[in-house]
Amino acid sequence: MSRYHEIKHRVATTFQRHVGNPLLGRLPNQPLLETTGRKSGEPRRTPIGGRKVGREFWIVSEFGEKSQYVRNIQADPRVRVRLKGQWHSGTAHLLPDDDPRARLKALPRLNSAAVQAIGTDLLTIRVDLDG
């Protein structure tokens, strides 16, 4: 990763961790992804943008495998997704062969624009929802 991308990643994740995520996580209709902390075993909730299509929920991570929630998924793919205030269990799949830029065109426009603007290593994630 280039020095520019390292700085961009550090600035963006610091802002998300201390400002963006705490604010967005309180909004009742904000989708949330709940993973299990790979070290702590505790639930970790992350505001996300994405779209439910049938029994699947699609996300694009802006920092790929450097994202903490992606690292948690690698350790345990069982997740929960909060959509419109309701929690849904599922299994997350990292899709490195998917075209994340093409995928973003099918996801909510505002979030997709933000992911493309700050992202340095885009990665598509599909969550297969139970039931």
Side-chain angles (χ1 to χ4, degrees), residues 15-126:
F15 176 81
Q16 288 170 334
R17 183 175 300 124
H18 298 289
V19 180
N21 290 356
L23 291 174
L24 290 173
R26 294 178 189 190
L27 299 175
N29 285 326
Q30 171 67 44
L32 294 177
L33 177 69
E34 183 181 86
T35 60
T36 300
R38 64 194 175 283
K39 294 178 184 176
S40 69
E42 297 293 320
R44 300 293 182 212
R45 292 182 177 172
T46 305
I48 54 170
R51 176 163 283 142
K52 183 177 183 241
V53 179
R55 298 300 308 158
E56 300 171 338
F57 188 78
W58 292 88
I59 310 163
V60 174
S61 167
E62 62 265 60
F63 298 115
E65 293 184 11
K66 285 193 79 171
S67 293
Q68 297 301 314
Y69 72 88
V70 171
R71 295 171 74 190
N72 289 343
I73 288 169
Q74 289 174 317
D76 182 358
R78 296 294 304 158
V79 300
R80 292 192 324 148
V81 180
R82 186 182 78 177
L83 304 171
K84 297 180 182 175
Q86 301 250 349
W87 285 99
H88 306 271
S89 297
T91 304
H93 303 276
L94 306 180
L95 304 174
D97 294 331
D98 191 68
D99 181 348
R101 294 195 185 283
R103 182 70 56 194
L104 284 170
K105 293 177 183 174
L107 301 181
R109 185 173 293 157
L110 183 60
N111 181 74
S112 293
V115 168
Q116 286 194 51
I118 66 170
T120 58
D121 186 20
L122 305 182
L123 175 65
T124 302
I125 301 165
R126 184 189 74 231

